Amino acid sequence: MRTMTTPSGEAPAPARRDAEATKAAILRAARHLLARHAHADITLKAVAERAGVSPPLILKYFGNKDALFARVMSFDTDADALLDAPLDALGRHMVRHVVSSQRERGADPLLRIVFAPLHGDHGDVLRANFRAQVTERLAARLTGADAGLRAELAVAALVGLGVMYGIARGPHLRGTDADDLAERYGPAVQAQLTPGAGPRDPAGACPRR
């Protein structure tokens, strides 16, 4: 099969890759606006301007505003990456993921939930998605008593981390290496996921008694 080339002899970028990049830019723009404005006040024009695309292109890819924000209010994809580690290493992984997401993408996988009160009835959708796709999904991986409570406490610690990093913009937190933060803060999260294992120091040794 022949490969189409441009007049310069170079193969053009695949259209699918361009489409996926455009969709990602639209979703990032919508998430940015959703974290700062009430759902009712956000227009497709504002999303398009921030994403650097035309409003008709948003309609092409997402159908309408409600369909776009249904995607934005879902935590499914973020939860896939957030929870992608063995249970005994999950605390450190989640801390590292929250910090790295803030630094590399300017987006926190959990922080959208903080802005639910802005969005009226749509805030209820955001809360329901957060519970089903993040805390309840995490709880399903836990064993022992009070799995639901422990999952919520672990996630609360991560949301607090995101608030201090992304909203309060704590300078010491922002100036510390992500791996160092994972070693310092991860055990506090892990203590809710696998109670009885006991927190460990950064070198991995059990604390003295």
Side-chain angles (χ1 to χ4, degrees), residues 2-53:
R2 294 181 60 191
T3 300
M4 297 296 294
T5 60
T6 63
S8 65
E10 297 178 353
R16 178 172 177 79
R17 182 181 302 169
D18 291 343
E20 292 304 315
T22 300
K23 289 178 184 178
I26 292 168
L27 289 171
R28 282 196 303 271
R31 287 175 175 175
H32 176 90
L33 294 171
L34 191 71
R36 291 159 177 82
H37 305 281
H39 177 275
D41 296 335
I42 302 171
T43 64
L44 286 182
K45 180 180 178 182
V47 176
E49 287 178 350
R50 182 163 186 85
V53 301

Short mmCIF file of all heavy atoms in Angstrom, two decimals, residues 2-53:
data_model
loop_
_atom_site.label_atom_id
_atom_site.label_comp_id
_atom_site.label_asym_id
_atom_site.label_seq_id
_atom_site.Cartn_x
_atom_site.Cartn_y
_atom_site.Cartn_z
N ARG A 2 0.60 2.19 -0.93
CA ARG A 2 1.42 3.38 -1.03
C ARG A 2 1.08 4.36 0.09
O ARG A 2 -0.07 4.49 0.51
CB ARG A 2 1.18 4.05 -2.38
CG ARG A 2 1.66 3.26 -3.56
CD ARG A 2 1.41 4.02 -4.82
NE ARG A 2 2.12 5.31 -4.80
CZ ARG A 2 1.89 6.27 -5.71
NH1 ARG A 2 1.00 6.09 -6.67
NH2 ARG A 2 2.58 7.40 -5.65
N THR A 3 2.08 5.08 0.54
CA THR A 3 1.87 6.12 1.55
C THR A 3 1.80 7.46 0.87
O THR A 3 2.69 7.82 0.08
CB THR A 3 3.04 6.12 2.57
OG1 THR A 3 3.09 4.85 3.19
CG2 THR A 3 2.84 7.20 3.62
N MET A 4 0.74 8.21 1.11
CA MET A 4 0.60 9.54 0.53
C MET A 4 1.64 10.46 1.13
O MET A 4 1.94 10.41 2.32
CB MET A 4 -0.81 10.09 0.81
CG MET A 4 -1.92 9.27 0.18
SD MET A 4 -1.85 9.29 -1.62
CE MET A 4 -2.20 11.01 -1.96
N THR A 5 2.20 11.34 0.30
CA THR A 5 3.20 12.28 0.79
C THR A 5 2.82 13.69 0.38
O THR A 5 2.03 13.91 -0.55
CB THR A 5 4.60 11.96 0.22
OG1 THR A 5 4.54 12.05 -1.20
CG2 THR A 5 5.04 10.57 0.64
N THR A 6 3.39 14.65 1.10
CA THR A 6 3.22 16.06 0.76
C THR A 6 4.18 16.40 -0.38
O THR A 6 5.06 15.61 -0.71
CB THR A 6 3.53 16.93 1.98
OG1 THR A 6 4.90 16.74 2.32
CG2 THR A 6 2.66 16.53 3.15
N PRO A 7 4.04 17.60 -1.00
CA PRO A 7 4.98 17.97 -2.07
C PRO A 7 6.43 17.93 -1.63
O PRO A 7 7.32 17.73 -2.45
CB PRO A 7 4.53 19.41 -2.41
CG PRO A 7 3.07 19.42 -2.10
CD PRO A 7 2.92 18.55 -0.88
N SER A 8 6.70 18.12 -0.34
CA SER A 8 8.08 18.07 0.13
C SER A 8 8.59 16.65 0.27
O SER A 8 9.75 16.43 0.57
CB SER A 8 8.19 18.78 1.48
OG SER A 8 7.44 18.08 2.46
N GLY A 9 7.70 15.68 0.06
CA GLY A 9 8.09 14.28 0.17
C GLY A 9 7.88 13.69 1.55
O GLY A 9 8.16 12.52 1.77
N GLU A 10 7.35 14.48 2.52
CA GLU A 10 7.12 13.98 3.87
C GLU A 10 5.71 13.44 4.00
O GLU A 10 4.76 13.98 3.42
CB GLU A 10 7.34 15.11 4.88
CG GLU A 10 8.76 15.64 4.91
CD GLU A 10 8.90 16.79 5.88
OE1 GLU A 10 7.87 17.23 6.41
OE2 GLU A 10 10.03 17.26 6.09
N ALA A 11 5.56 12.39 4.79
CA ALA A 11 4.23 11.83 5.02
C ALA A 11 3.46 12.77 5.95
O ALA A 11 4.00 13.24 6.95
CB ALA A 11 4.34 10.45 5.66
N PRO A 12 2.19 13.07 5.67
CA PRO A 12 1.41 13.94 6.54
C PRO A 12 1.11 13.24 7.86
O PRO A 12 1.08 12.01 7.94
CB PRO A 12 0.13 14.20 5.73
CG PRO A 12 0.00 12.99 4.87
CD PRO A 12 1.41 12.59 4.50
N ALA A 13 0.87 14.02 8.90
CA ALA A 13 0.50 13.44 10.20
C ALA A 13 -0.84 12.74 10.07
O ALA A 13 -1.73 13.22 9.36
CB ALA A 13 0.42 14.55 11.25
N PRO A 14 -0.99 11.61 10.71
CA PRO A 14 -2.26 10.89 10.62
C PRO A 14 -3.42 11.76 11.12
O PRO A 14 -3.31 12.43 12.13
CB PRO A 14 -2.03 9.69 11.54
CG PRO A 14 -0.55 9.52 11.61
CD PRO A 14 0.00 10.90 11.51
N ALA A 15 -4.53 11.72 10.40
CA ALA A 15 -5.69 12.53 10.78
C ALA A 15 -6.22 12.14 12.14
O ALA A 15 -6.67 12.99 12.91
CB ALA A 15 -6.79 12.36 9.72
N ARG A 16 -6.16 10.85 12.45
CA ARG A 16 -6.68 10.40 13.75
C ARG A 16 -5.90 11.02 14.89
O ARG A 16 -6.46 11.42 15.89
CB ARG A 16 -6.64 8.88 13.84
CG ARG A 16 -7.14 8.35 15.18
CD ARG A 16 -7.27 6.84 15.19
NE ARG A 16 -7.67 6.37 16.50
CZ ARG A 16 -8.90 6.41 16.97
NH1 ARG A 16 -9.87 6.92 16.24
NH2 ARG A 16 -9.19 5.95 18.18
N ARG A 17 -4.57 11.11 14.71
CA ARG A 17 -3.75 11.71 15.76
C ARG A 17 -4.15 13.17 15.95
O ARG A 17 -4.25 13.67 17.07
CB ARG A 17 -2.27 11.61 15.39
CG ARG A 17 -1.33 12.16 16.45
CD ARG A 17 0.12 12.06 16.00
NE ARG A 17 0.48 10.69 15.71
CZ ARG A 17 1.61 10.34 15.09
NH1 ARG A 17 2.47 11.27 14.70
NH2 ARG A 17 1.88 9.08 14.87
N ASP A 18 -4.38 13.90 14.84
CA ASP A 18 -4.81 15.29 14.93
C ASP A 18 -6.15 15.40 15.64
O ASP A 18 -6.37 16.29 16.45
CB ASP A 18 -4.93 15.90 13.53
CG ASP A 18 -3.57 16.08 12.86
OD1 ASP A 18 -2.56 16.04 13.58
OD2 ASP A 18 -3.54 16.26 11.63
N ALA A 19 -7.06 14.50 15.31
CA ALA A 19 -8.39 14.53 15.93
C ALA A 19 -8.30 14.28 17.43
O ALA A 19 -8.95 14.96 18.23
CB ALA A 19 -9.29 13.49 15.27
N GLU A 20 -7.48 13.30 17.83
CA GLU A 20 -7.35 13.00 19.25
C GLU A 20 -6.70 14.16 19.99
O GLU A 20 -7.09 14.49 21.12
CB GLU A 20 -6.53 11.72 19.45
CG GLU A 20 -7.23 10.45 18.95
CD GLU A 20 -8.59 10.26 19.58
OE1 GLU A 20 -8.71 10.44 20.81
OE2 GLU A 20 -9.55 9.95 18.84
N ALA A 21 -5.72 14.81 19.38
CA ALA A 21 -5.08 15.96 20.01
C ALA A 21 -6.07 17.11 20.16
O ALA A 21 -6.08 17.81 21.18
CB ALA A 21 -3.87 16.41 19.18
N THR A 22 -6.92 17.30 19.16
CA THR A 22 -7.92 18.36 19.22
C THR A 22 -8.94 18.07 20.32
O THR A 22 -9.31 18.96 21.09
CB THR A 22 -8.62 18.51 17.86
OG1 THR A 22 -7.65 18.83 16.88
CG2 THR A 22 -9.68 19.59 17.92
N LYS A 23 -9.40 16.82 20.39
CA LYS A 23 -10.35 16.46 21.45
C LYS A 23 -9.74 16.68 22.82
O LYS A 23 -10.41 17.19 23.73
CB LYS A 23 -10.75 14.99 21.29
CG LYS A 23 -11.64 14.69 20.11
CD LYS A 23 -11.94 13.20 20.04
CE LYS A 23 -12.74 12.83 18.82
NZ LYS A 23 -12.98 11.36 18.74
N ALA A 24 -8.48 16.30 22.97
CA ALA A 24 -7.81 16.48 24.26
C ALA A 24 -7.72 17.96 24.62
O ALA A 24 -7.90 18.34 25.78
CB ALA A 24 -6.43 15.85 24.22
N ALA A 25 -7.41 18.81 23.63
CA ALA A 25 -7.33 20.25 23.88
C ALA A 25 -8.68 20.82 24.29
O ALA A 25 -8.77 21.67 25.19
CB ALA A 25 -6.82 20.96 22.63
N ILE A 26 -9.74 20.34 23.66
CA ILE A 26 -11.09 20.79 24.01
C ILE A 26 -11.45 20.38 25.43
O ILE A 26 -11.99 21.17 26.22
CB ILE A 26 -12.11 20.24 23.00
CG1 ILE A 26 -11.89 20.89 21.62
CG2 ILE A 26 -13.54 20.50 23.48
CD1 ILE A 26 -12.65 20.20 20.50
N LEU A 27 -11.15 19.14 25.79
CA LEU A 27 -11.45 18.66 27.14
C LEU A 27 -10.64 19.43 28.18
O LEU A 27 -11.17 19.77 29.25
CB LEU A 27 -11.17 17.16 27.24
CG LEU A 27 -12.16 16.27 26.48
CD1 LEU A 27 -11.66 14.83 26.46
CD2 LEU A 27 -13.55 16.33 27.12
N ARG A 28 -9.37 19.71 27.90
CA ARG A 28 -8.56 20.49 28.84
C ARG A 28 -9.14 21.88 29.04
O ARG A 28 -9.21 22.39 30.17
CB ARG A 28 -7.12 20.60 28.33
CG ARG A 28 -6.28 19.36 28.54
CD ARG A 28 -4.79 19.67 28.37
NE ARG A 28 -4.49 20.24 27.07
CZ ARG A 28 -4.18 19.52 26.01
NH1 ARG A 28 -4.14 18.19 26.08
NH2 ARG A 28 -3.89 20.12 24.86
N ALA A 29 -9.57 22.49 27.94
CA ALA A 29 -10.15 23.83 28.03
C ALA A 29 -11.44 23.82 28.85
O ALA A 29 -11.67 24.69 29.70
CB ALA A 29 -10.41 24.37 26.63
N ALA A 30 -12.28 22.82 28.60
CA ALA A 30 -13.55 22.73 29.33
C ALA A 30 -13.30 22.47 30.81
O ALA A 30 -13.98 23.05 31.67
CB ALA A 30 -14.42 21.63 28.73
N ARG A 31 -12.32 21.64 31.15
CA ARG A 31 -12.01 21.38 32.54
C ARG A 31 -11.48 22.63 33.23
O ARG A 31 -11.83 22.92 34.38
CB ARG A 31 -10.98 20.25 32.65
CG ARG A 31 -11.55 18.88 32.35
CD ARG A 31 -10.47 17.82 32.35
NE ARG A 31 -11.06 16.50 32.17
CZ ARG A 31 -10.36 15.38 32.04
NH1 ARG A 31 -9.03 15.44 32.06
NH2 ARG A 31 -10.96 14.22 31.88
N HIS A 32 -10.63 23.38 32.52
CA HIS A 32 -10.11 24.63 33.08
C HIS A 32 -11.25 25.58 33.41
O HIS A 32 -11.29 26.16 34.50
CB HIS A 32 -9.16 25.28 32.07
CG HIS A 32 -8.63 26.60 32.50
ND1 HIS A 32 -7.47 26.75 33.23
CD2 HIS A 32 -9.11 27.88 32.31
CE1 HIS A 32 -7.26 28.02 33.48
NE2 HIS A 32 -8.24 28.73 32.93
N LEU A 33 -12.18 25.75 32.49
CA LEU A 33 -13.30 26.68 32.71
C LEU A 33 -14.25 26.17 33.79
O LEU A 33 -14.77 26.95 34.59
CB LEU A 33 -14.04 26.91 31.40
CG LEU A 33 -13.23 27.65 30.32
CD1 LEU A 33 -13.97 27.64 28.99
CD2 LEU A 33 -12.93 29.07 30.75
N LEU A 34 -14.45 24.86 33.82
CA LEU A 34 -15.35 24.29 34.81
C LEU A 34 -14.83 24.48 36.23
O LEU A 34 -15.61 24.57 37.17
CB LEU A 34 -15.54 22.79 34.54
CG LEU A 34 -16.65 22.10 35.33
CD1 LEU A 34 -18.02 22.56 34.84
CD2 LEU A 34 -16.54 20.59 35.20
N ALA A 35 -13.52 24.57 36.38
CA ALA A 35 -12.92 24.77 37.70
C ALA A 35 -12.99 26.22 38.15
O ALA A 35 -12.65 26.52 39.29
CB ALA A 35 -11.47 24.31 37.69
N ARG A 36 -13.45 27.11 37.25
CA ARG A 36 -13.42 28.54 37.58
C ARG A 36 -14.75 29.24 37.39
O ARG A 36 -14.93 30.37 37.85
CB ARG A 36 -12.35 29.23 36.71
CG ARG A 36 -10.95 28.81 37.10
CD ARG A 36 -9.95 29.03 36.00
NE ARG A 36 -8.59 28.68 36.44
CZ ARG A 36 -8.12 27.45 36.46
NH1 ARG A 36 -8.90 26.43 36.07
NH2 ARG A 36 -6.88 27.20 36.88
N HIS A 37 -15.69 28.59 36.71
CA HIS A 37 -16.96 29.23 36.43
C HIS A 37 -18.10 28.23 36.61
O HIS A 37 -17.91 27.03 36.45
CB HIS A 37 -16.99 29.77 34.99
CG HIS A 37 -15.86 30.68 34.67
ND1 HIS A 37 -15.83 32.00 35.04
CD2 HIS A 37 -14.69 30.45 34.02
CE1 HIS A 37 -14.71 32.57 34.62
NE2 HIS A 37 -13.99 31.64 34.00
N ALA A 38 -19.27 28.76 36.91
CA ALA A 38 -20.45 27.90 37.00
C ALA A 38 -20.76 27.31 35.63
O ALA A 38 -20.54 27.96 34.59
CB ALA A 38 -21.64 28.70 37.49
N HIS A 39 -21.26 26.08 35.64
CA HIS A 39 -21.58 25.39 34.38
C HIS A 39 -22.45 26.25 33.49
O HIS A 39 -22.22 26.34 32.27
CB HIS A 39 -22.27 24.06 34.70
CG HIS A 39 -22.72 23.29 33.50
ND1 HIS A 39 -23.92 23.53 32.87
CD2 HIS A 39 -22.12 22.28 32.81
CE1 HIS A 39 -24.05 22.71 31.85
NE2 HIS A 39 -22.97 21.95 31.79
N ALA A 40 -23.46 26.90 34.07
CA ALA A 40 -24.41 27.68 33.27
C ALA A 40 -23.75 28.88 32.59
O ALA A 40 -24.26 29.38 31.58
CB ALA A 40 -25.56 28.16 34.16
N ASP A 41 -22.62 29.34 33.13
CA ASP A 41 -21.96 30.52 32.59
C ASP A 41 -20.92 30.20 31.52
O ASP A 41 -20.36 31.10 30.91
CB ASP A 41 -21.27 31.31 33.71
CG ASP A 41 -22.26 31.86 34.73
OD1 ASP A 41 -23.43 32.07 34.34
OD2 ASP A 41 -21.87 32.07 35.89
N ILE A 42 -20.66 28.93 31.29
CA ILE A 42 -19.63 28.54 30.33
C ILE A 42 -20.28 28.34 28.96
O ILE A 42 -21.25 27.60 28.82
CB ILE A 42 -18.93 27.24 30.76
CG1 ILE A 42 -18.30 27.41 32.14
CG2 ILE A 42 -17.86 26.85 29.76
CD1 ILE A 42 -17.78 26.10 32.73
N THR A 43 -19.75 28.99 27.96
CA THR A 43 -20.28 28.85 26.60
C THR A 43 -19.33 28.02 25.75
O THR A 43 -18.13 27.93 26.04
CB THR A 43 -20.44 30.23 25.94
OG1 THR A 43 -19.15 30.84 25.80
CG2 THR A 43 -21.35 31.13 26.78
N LEU A 44 -19.87 27.44 24.70
CA LEU A 44 -19.02 26.71 23.77
C LEU A 44 -18.01 27.65 23.12
O LEU A 44 -16.88 27.25 22.81
CB LEU A 44 -19.86 26.03 22.70
CG LEU A 44 -20.64 24.78 23.13
CD1 LEU A 44 -21.39 24.20 21.95
CD2 LEU A 44 -19.72 23.73 23.75
N LYS A 45 -18.39 28.90 22.93
CA LYS A 45 -17.46 29.87 22.35
C LYS A 45 -16.24 30.05 23.26
O LYS A 45 -15.10 30.11 22.79
CB LYS A 45 -18.16 31.21 22.15
CG LYS A 45 -17.24 32.28 21.55
CD LYS A 45 -17.98 33.60 21.37
CE LYS A 45 -17.04 34.67 20.82
NZ LYS A 45 -17.72 35.99 20.68
N ALA A 46 -16.48 30.12 24.59
CA ALA A 46 -15.37 30.29 25.53
C ALA A 46 -14.46 29.07 25.52
O ALA A 46 -13.24 29.18 25.57
CB ALA A 46 -15.92 30.54 26.93
N VAL A 47 -15.07 27.88 25.46
CA VAL A 47 -14.28 26.65 25.39
C VAL A 47 -13.45 26.65 24.11
O VAL A 47 -12.26 26.33 24.12
CB VAL A 47 -15.18 25.41 25.46
CG1 VAL A 47 -14.35 24.14 25.29
CG2 VAL A 47 -15.94 25.36 26.77
N ALA A 48 -14.09 27.00 23.00
CA ALA A 48 -13.41 26.99 21.71
C ALA A 48 -12.24 27.97 21.70
O ALA A 48 -11.15 27.65 21.20
CB ALA A 48 -14.40 27.34 20.60
N GLU A 49 -12.45 29.16 22.24
CA GLU A 49 -11.37 30.16 22.26
C GLU A 49 -10.19 29.67 23.08
O GLU A 49 -9.04 29.83 22.67
CB GLU A 49 -11.90 31.48 22.82
CG GLU A 49 -12.83 32.22 21.85
CD GLU A 49 -13.39 33.49 22.45
OE1 GLU A 49 -13.20 33.72 23.67
OE2 GLU A 49 -14.03 34.26 21.69
N ARG A 50 -10.47 29.06 24.22
CA ARG A 50 -9.36 28.58 25.05
C ARG A 50 -8.64 27.41 24.38
O ARG A 50 -7.42 27.27 24.51
CB ARG A 50 -9.86 28.17 26.43
CG ARG A 50 -8.72 27.72 27.32
CD ARG A 50 -9.04 27.70 28.78
NE ARG A 50 -7.82 27.39 29.53
CZ ARG A 50 -6.91 28.27 29.90
NH1 ARG A 50 -7.10 29.55 29.63
NH2 ARG A 50 -5.81 27.90 30.53
N ALA A 51 -9.39 26.55 23.69
CA ALA A 51 -8.79 25.38 23.04
C ALA A 51 -8.13 25.73 21.71
O ALA A 51 -7.38 24.92 21.16
CB ALA A 51 -9.84 24.31 22.82
N GLY A 52 -8.42 26.93 21.17
CA GLY A 52 -7.86 27.30 19.88
C GLY A 52 -8.53 26.62 18.71
O GLY A 52 -7.89 26.33 17.68
N VAL A 53 -9.84 26.36 18.86
CA VAL A 53 -10.59 25.72 17.78
C VAL A 53 -11.87 26.52 17.55
O VAL A 53 -12.14 27.51 18.23
CB VAL A 53 -10.95 24.25 18.13
CG1 VAL A 53 -9.70 23.44 18.40
CG2 VAL A 53 -11.89 24.20 19.34
#
